[in-house]
Amino acid sequence: MDRTKVAQLFAQMDELGGSEVTVAGWVRSIRDMKNFGFVVLNDGSCFKDVQVVMNREKVANYDQVTTLTVGSALVVTGTLALTPDRPQPFELQAAEVVIEGAARPDYPMQKKRQSREFLRTQQHLRSRTNLFRAVFRVRSVAAFAIHQFFQGRGFVYVNTPIITASDAEGAGEMFRVTTIDPANPPLTEDGKVDYSRDFFGKATNLTVSGQLQGENFAMSFGDVYTFGPTFRAENSNTRRHAAEFWMVEPEMAFCDLAGEMDVSEEMLKYVITYVMDRCPDEIDMLNSFVDKGLRERLSHVASSDFARVSYTDAVSILQEAQAAGATFEYPVEWGVDLQTEHERYLTERHFRRPTFVTDYPAAIKAFYMRQNDDGKTVAAADCLVPGIGEIIGGSQREERLDVLERRIAELGMDVGQYKYYLDLRRYGSCRHAGFGLGFERLVMYLTGVDNIRDVIPHPRTVGNADF
Amino acid sequence: MDRTKVAQLFAQMDELGGSEVTVAGWVRSIRDMKNFGFVVLNDGSCFKDVQVVMNREKVANYDQVTTLTVGSALVVTGTLALTPDRPQPFELQAAEVVIEGAARPDYPMQKKRQSREFLRTQQHLRSRTNLFRAVFRVRSVAAFAIHQFFQGRGFVYVNTPIITASDAEGAGEMFRVTTIDPANPPLTEDGKVDYSRDFFGKATNLTVSGQLQGENFAMSFGDVYTFGPTFRAENSNTRRHAAEFWMVEPEMAFCDLAGEMDVSEEMLKYVITYVMDRCPDEIDMLNSFVDKGLRERLSHVASSDFARVSYTDAVSILQEAQAAGATFEYPVEWGVDLQTEHERYLTERHFRRPTFVTDYPAAIKAFYMRQNDDGKTVAAADCLVPGIGEIIGGSQREERLDVLERRIAELGMDVGQYKYYLDLRRYGSCRHAGFGLGFERLVMYLTGVDNIRDVIPHPRTVGNADF
């Protein structure tokens, strides 16, 4: 079909004005004014619609077309007429309208405003609404911005495995991946389930992080990143948790914590700027109808120098704030992890810009983080942003074989499971660092949408795997 | 650390020649010539190495450095000296060499040539060899080329779910995803495993394809693509099968089979050209040591007009070839699926260029493919390429509600499972088409590597989920 996309009409209206074009899309509204009819059509190529004008005398099936309802698919051929004195810059004066597929009148996506809860039951159709068209285009553009950022800096994209026999962090509840029939599992002689007869010859799970395998590749390519799905079988039914979500995990050789923070900061600014630049109509819509502070907050983050403060100093700041009258639900004392309320206080009220909190107590961070000389803290850095709290968690990794082995033993972890990881410290170890960005958290931040279920095409949460 | 990457040395040698730079990387070889030592260093930023020259009188720890073995990590500061009359265009004359991390002498990646079978047992280290550095950079660059191709054409990237309660094709063996303990599963009253008490409230699997969900989004954005992992629990231990692999699945509204073939052809040419352009050293290496016909084959595909032939005509061509003396292991007759030997005959011997075979018998293709008017065939198109056979499978999708419902019933499938899919035909249905590209097959094609285990960072196959 030789058609012109609506995005192209807007991009090239000066050249195309006056000429005949064919547009294919879906009806957003239809009005019959007796001798003239108006159809607002959207083809998904951009946020904007095209207005089709039908002259009853010129469009042979005028009466049939005007009985159509919202959601119907049309192919319209006509003249693109520039209309500089109207709100929309042009209209399509129809010569021929072909009905590609009518929508039945019980179409659930009617023009009236639907609740997000209802729309979650219509995941196959909700991307036809303004809100979800904005969200999912921003998601796509942000994903590309991430690839572009890293590829432009020479990072190698690595697809770490989804199915794994290990647990990257020694924590986190995992989904089992199996071909064993639980109605009739093979058993060992002592009556246990015999995973040696499972598909992979052992028990396997869905990955919770690609970091450890990412490190394998950082030790050959220097700079690498992953960008793929990760999983948590946590029974938490909150606005911020999904069982399946995408993570970006860069890993950089010959890089310390300061270098890691530099790259995180640059990346966030790059993605925000890219999305604001490429999705102005979507950001407009989100700023008007979802979160009135969105554009300002994004511009602010893109143009700020991020603050950097140690965990120890951050705790002092929070304690001083308490002494001065601030109230927190959770206690603030050295050794306890920061809660979202604390993170937001630091970034929104104290520093008033994105803030890295560094050098957390070792006890509340993962085993692979590099121990500082004080013997108490590790070289971790969480990036906090206004409006959300933590968005990125990073650290310098422990590159010293003896220190790492001691830490694994201290934590009672199975050192045998980490043979490959330790090998990286045996053969040409070097300082290195990396971070993890929860991609859905970023999309929530970019769109102002406050429920993770509304930034994932088909979200998976406890009790929910429809579509 | 203020270092310069080796890729940058090569890109900017004219500016950097004569100045002091710091390079960090891993030792590929080391030679002690008594008063002078030579270290070949690679930092992973590009395929090329940098030659470091150490003058015993100038490098304080010369004796220590020269006892190091392959794989050790060094940070070298020195003067970049241009050497226009030597094979390498410059060398680094060391002033200071810092040993970042020595490699133990039992380092498994010694300079001698290792078998690929052995290297599969060293997946955490094998990307330090020339072969795998070439393969995994090509993989990364090809992945980016795919994103760039689709984003540049206005396609929206959609992350379809990995965990799913449905089977996209009504076929294919799947992995179960569960938190049920098979040692002690919850049971229903009649003694069956009670999946309503599993994490998602029902039985779930790993996806075999994102196509059906992709169609949801094509019906709002027009053009979309997925690029993510898919899974098959097939017990096949071949060079071409993995249990976990990445797929690219574009889906296009208002597009028929011819349009689908146009996009597939353009995409393949784009990716090949992009990789040849960005990875000349890697392609050189692969062409010299893996597959001597590689570059010629890729150039040929990138510059050919792909042939298009119907399945019916293809069968006649093969039967005529048989009559003229060609021998095939598998029978050739109308109604039987083409085998790799037939596909390769068509593309390598008959057409001598990439070839689309179209309009296959309905009985050997999936339920969602659009039925042709002849009542026997469907609007499918497989893209065959010399050296490999099928690389892309595409089709126009059945957009007619009644025809699709009839087909689902005919095949004895559960129509209730396809409610959402059928809804797309109820509310503004339109002609549409899409295809699936197995990304690892493409990487094998781009590199000449003939085993899928060698193009996946950490491959998952029957009995194998290490690393």
Side-chain angles (χ1 to χ4, degrees):
Chain A
M1 186 194 300
D2 194 17
R3 67 167 172 130
T4 308
K5 289 192 183 180
V6 174
Q8 203 183 332
L9 296 185
F10 278 95
Q12 305 178 349
M13 63 177 102
D14 293 334
E15 295 129 79
L16 294 172
S19 61
E20 191 183 86
V21 295
T22 296
V23 171
W26 293 273
V27 171
R28 303 198 21 105
S29 71
I30 208 158
R31 270 184 306 155
D32 177 11
M33 313 292 280
K34 235 170 178 178
N35 294 320
F36 281 93
F38 297 94
V39 179
V40 175
L41 209 65
N42 188 285
D43 71 354
S45 67
C46 66
F47 195 75
K48 292 195 185 87
D49 306 310
V50 59
Q51 162 118 309
V52 178
V53 182
M54 298 187 298
N55 183 333
R56 165 171 241 138
E57 290 183 5
K58 292 196 184 152
V59 174
N61 54 351
Y62 181 96
D63 289 324
Q64 205 190 345
V65 173
T66 48
T67 61
L68 289 176
T69 50
V70 172
S72 299
L74 301 180
V75 181
V76 182
T77 302
T79 306
L80 193 77
L82 300 185
T83 53
D85 42 2
R86 305 238 190 104
Q88 70 273 16
F90 55 77
E91 59 187 29
L92 183 60
Q93 295 170 341
E96 187 193 47
V97 179
V98 176
I99 300 171
E100 177 88 7
R104 296 194 182 183
D106 63 344
Y107 181 50
M109 301 290 104
Q110 294 302 331
K111 247 207 133 182
K112 67 174 194 288
R113 219 166 157 141
Q114 315 267 23
S115 78
R116 293 202 207 155
E117 288 71 24
F118 170 73
L119 291 172
R120 275 178 218 137
T121 69
Q122 305 291 323
Q123 287 166 27
H124 59 315
L125 303 173
R126 67 176 177 170
S127 52
R128 304 177 183 196
T129 65
N130 278 342
L131 172 65
F132 289 98
R133 285 197 297 139
V135 166
F136 291 121
R137 188 181 304 276
V138 165
R139 183 178 169 119
S140 167
V141 169
F144 187 57
I146 287 167
H147 281 295
Q148 200 156 271
F149 175 84
F150 287 112
Q151 297 265 347
R153 278 153 188 76
F155 282 62
V156 169
Y157 179 39
V158 179
N159 296 130
T160 50
I162 309 301
I163 299 171
T164 166
S166 75
D167 170 357
E169 312 214 0
E173 292 172 82
M174 296 190 294
F175 290 103
R176 185 174 302 291
V177 174
T178 183
T179 53
I180 283 179
D181 180 1
N184 185 25
L187 300 176
T188 59
E189 281 187 8
D190 55 351
K192 290 192 178 142
V193 175
D194 185 0
Y195 286 110
S196 75
R197 290 163 68 190
D198 204 348
F199 188 89
F200 294 106
K202 62 175 86 167
T204 50
N205 307 298
L206 289 178
T207 186
V208 299
S209 161
Q211 179 204 317
L212 301 199
Q213 293 104 340
E215 287 186 47
N216 295 340
F217 284 77
M219 293 298 114
S220 35
F221 288 109
D223 290 335
V224 302
Y225 70 109
T226 73
F227 190 177
T230 54
F231 306 84
R232 295 284 154 81
E234 266 173 55
N235 201 337
S236 44
N237 213 336
T238 81
R239 290 186 294 115
R240 288 161 57 93
H241 288 88
E244 173 179 323
F245 53 97
W246 285 60
M247 289 261 284
V248 181
E249 296 183 284
E251 195 69 34
M252 298 160 282
F254 302 105
C255 179
D256 60 14
L257 194 67
E260 181 273 313
M261 288 189 277
D262 291 344
V263 175
S264 321
E265 180 172 341
E266 258 184 76
M267 183 203 65
L268 268 187
K269 290 174 172 176
Y270 182 91
V271 174
I272 289 172
T273 306
Y274 191 88
V275 165
M276 292 181 78
D277 192 40
R278 302 300 171 104
C279 304
D281 297 326
E282 284 79 3
I283 297 291
D284 268 351
M285 184 271 159
L286 294 163
N287 195 67
S288 301
F289 296 103
V290 176
D291 178 350
K292 302 246 182 258
L294 179 66
R295 179 177 281 116
E296 195 189 319
R297 200 172 56 242
L298 293 178
S299 303
H300 175 65
V301 172
S303 60
S304 300
D305 279 327
F306 291 17
R308 300 184 182 191
V309 64
S310 73
Y311 167 88
T312 301
D313 289 347
V315 167
S316 303
I317 289 167
L318 292 166
Q319 286 172 334
E320 281 161 29
Q322 260 180 332
T327 55
F328 297 118
E329 194 182 338
Y330 292 91
V332 179
E333 61 184 284
W334 201 98
V336 174
D337 207 358
L338 301 181
Q339 300 295 322
T340 302
E341 58 174 344
H342 308 136
E343 295 173 342
R344 292 188 63 169
Y345 181 89
L346 290 166
T347 179
E348 291 169 18
R349 311 235 355 233
H350 187 83
F351 290 102
R352 295 176 186 271
R353 54 193 167 126
T355 303
F356 288 103
V357 178
T358 67
D359 303 299
Y360 283 77
I364 59 172
K365 288 290 183 185
F367 77 95
Y368 51 72
M369 297 191 181
R370 192 177 196 277
Q371 288 188 45
N372 289 327
D373 292 342
D374 63 15
K376 296 188 302 184
T377 61
V378 290
D382 284 358
C383 180
L384 318 180
V385 288
I388 198 167
E390 186 202 327
I391 194 162
I392 288 176
S395 73
Q396 191 169 335
R397 319 308 191 186
E398 185 56 77
E399 87 281 14
R400 295 162 296 186
L401 180 63
D402 54 339
V403 181
L404 185 57
E405 281 179 328
R406 212 180 314 133
R407 186 68 182 146
I408 289 175
E410 251 171 43
L411 293 171
M413 291 159 61
D414 174 14
V415 77
Q417 252 222 324
Y418 295 92
K419 183 205 177 284
Y420 306 128
Y421 193 62
L422 293 165
D423 270 359
L424 301 183
R425 280 75 185 164
R426 292 186 180 103
Y427 307 118
S429 189
C430 72
R431 86 195 80 166
H432 62 292
F435 64 88
L437 167 74
F439 182 56
E440 280 76 10
R441 291 269 170 95
L442 176 65
V443 178
M444 290 167 75
Y445 198 66
L446 290 166
T447 57
V449 167
D450 65 357
N451 194 314
I452 199 167
R453 290 167 183 79
D454 296 332
V455 302
I456 300 178
H458 297 302
R460 271 72 183 100
T461 54
V462 192
N464 230 309
D466 287 336
F467 300 95
Chain B
M1 181 193 302
D2 195 19
R3 66 167 171 128
T4 308
K5 289 191 183 181
V6 174
Q8 203 183 332
L9 296 184
F10 278 96
Q12 306 178 346
M13 63 176 102
D14 292 334
E15 295 128 78
L16 294 171
S19 60
E20 191 183 85
V21 295
T22 297
V23 171
W26 294 273
V27 170
R28 300 194 29 99
S29 71
I30 209 156
R31 269 182 310 153
D32 176 10
M33 311 291 282
K34 236 174 179 175
N35 294 321
F36 281 93
F38 298 94
V39 179
V40 175
L41 208 64
N42 188 285
D43 70 355
S45 66
C46 65
F47 196 76
K48 293 195 184 85
D49 306 311
V50 59
Q51 162 119 308
V52 177
V53 183
M54 299 188 298
N55 184 332
R56 164 170 243 139
E57 291 182 3
K58 292 194 182 153
V59 174
N61 54 351
Y62 181 97
D63 289 325
Q64 205 190 345
V65 173
T66 48
T67 61
L68 289 176
T69 49
V70 172
S72 299
L74 301 180
V75 181
V76 182
T77 302
T79 305
L80 193 76
L82 300 185
T83 52
D85 43 0
R86 303 239 191 103
Q88 70 273 19
F90 55 77
E91 60 188 29
L92 182 60
Q93 294 170 343
E96 187 193 48
V97 179
V98 177
I99 300 172
E100 177 88 8
R104 297 194 180 182
D106 62 346
Y107 182 50
M109 301 290 103
Q110 295 301 332
K111 249 208 132 179
K112 67 175 193 289
R113 214 164 161 144
Q114 315 268 23
S115 78
R116 293 201 206 156
E117 288 72 21
F118 170 73
L119 291 172
R120 275 178 219 138
T121 70
Q122 306 290 322
Q123 286 166 25
H124 58 315
L125 304 172
R126 69 175 175 170
S127 51
R128 305 176 182 197
T129 64
N130 278 342
L131 173 64
F132 289 99
R133 286 197 298 137
V135 165
F136 291 122
R137 188 180 303 278
V138 165
R139 184 180 169 118
S140 167
V141 169
F144 187 58
I146 287 168
H147 281 293
Q148 198 154 272
F149 176 83
F150 287 112
Q151 297 264 347
R153 277 154 189 76
F155 283 61
V156 169
Y157 179 38
V158 179
N159 295 132
T160 49
I162 308 302
I163 299 172
T164 167
S166 75
D167 170 356
E169 312 214 0
E173 291 172 83
M174 297 190 294
F175 291 104
R176 185 174 302 291
V177 174
T178 183
T179 53
I180 283 179
D181 180 1
N184 184 24
L187 298 178
T188 58
E189 281 187 8
D190 56 348
K192 291 194 176 138
V193 175
D194 185 0
Y195 286 111
S196 75
R197 291 163 67 189
D198 205 348
F199 189 89
F200 294 106
K202 61 177 86 166
T204 51
N205 308 298
L206 290 177
T207 186
V208 298
S209 160
Q211 180 204 318
L212 302 200
Q213 293 104 338
E215 287 186 47
N216 294 340
F217 285 76
M219 293 299 113
S220 35
F221 288 108
D223 289 335
V224 302
Y225 69 109
T226 73
F227 190 176
T230 53
F231 305 84
R232 296 283 154 82
E234 266 172 55
N235 200 337
S236 44
N237 213 337
T238 80
R239 290 186 294 114
R240 289 161 57 93
H241 288 89
E244 174 182 323
F245 54 98
W246 286 58
M247 288 261 283
V248 181
E249 297 183 283
E251 194 69 34
M252 298 160 281
F254 301 105
C255 179
D256 60 13
L257 194 67
E260 180 275 312
M261 289 189 276
D262 290 344
V263 175
S264 322
E265 180 171 341
E266 259 184 75
M267 184 204 65
L268 268 186
K269 290 174 172 176
Y270 182 92
V271 174
I272 289 172
T273 306
Y274 191 88
V275 166
M276 292 182 78
D277 191 40
R278 302 299 173 104
C279 303
D281 296 327
E282 284 79 1
I283 297 290
D284 267 353
M285 183 271 159
L286 295 163
N287 196 67
S288 302
F289 295 103
V290 176
D291 177 351
K292 303 245 182 258
L294 179 66
R295 178 176 282 115
E296 194 190 320
R297 200 172 54 240
L298 293 178
S299 304
H300 174 63
V301 171
S303 61
S304 299
D305 279 325
F306 291 17
R308 299 184 182 191
V309 63
S310 73
Y311 167 88
T312 301
D313 288 348
V315 167
S316 301
I317 289 168
L318 292 166
Q319 286 173 334
E320 280 162 30
Q322 261 181 330
T327 55
F328 298 118
E329 196 182 336
Y330 292 90
V332 179
E333 61 183 284
W334 201 98
V336 173
D337 208 359
L338 300 181
Q339 300 294 322
T340 302
E341 58 175 344
H342 307 137
E343 295 173 343
R344 293 187 63 168
Y345 182 88
L346 290 166
T347 180
E348 292 169 18
R349 312 233 356 232
H350 187 82
F351 291 102
R352 296 176 186 272
R353 53 190 168 128
T355 303
F356 288 103
V357 178
T358 67
D359 304 297
Y360 283 78
I364 58 173
K365 288 290 182 185
F367 77 94
Y368 51 71
M369 297 189 180
R370 191 176 197 280
Q371 288 188 44
N372 288 326
D373 293 340
D374 63 13
K376 296 187 304 185
T377 61
V378 290
D382 284 358
C383 180
L384 317 179
V385 288
I388 198 167
E390 187 201 326
I391 193 162
I392 288 176
S395 71
Q396 190 170 337
R397 318 309 190 186
E398 184 56 76
E399 88 280 13
R400 295 163 296 186
L401 180 63
D402 55 337
V403 181
L404 186 57
E405 281 180 328
R406 211 179 313 133
R407 186 68 182 148
I408 289 176
E410 251 172 44
L411 293 170
M413 292 159 63
D414 174 13
V415 76
Q417 253 222 323
Y418 295 92
K419 183 205 175 287
Y420 306 128
Y421 193 62
L422 292 166
D423 270 359
L424 301 183
R425 279 77 185 163
R426 291 188 180 102
Y427 306 118
S429 189
C430 71
R431 83 195 83 165
H432 62 291
F435 64 87
L437 167 74
F439 182 56
E440 280 76 9
R441 291 269 170 94
L442 176 65
V443 177
M444 290 168 74
Y445 198 65
L446 290 166
T447 57
V449 167
D450 66 358
N451 194 315
I452 198 166
R453 291 167 183 77
D454 297 333
V455 301
I456 299 178
H458 297 302
R460 272 71 184 101
T461 53
V462 191
N464 230 310
D466 286 338
F467 301 92

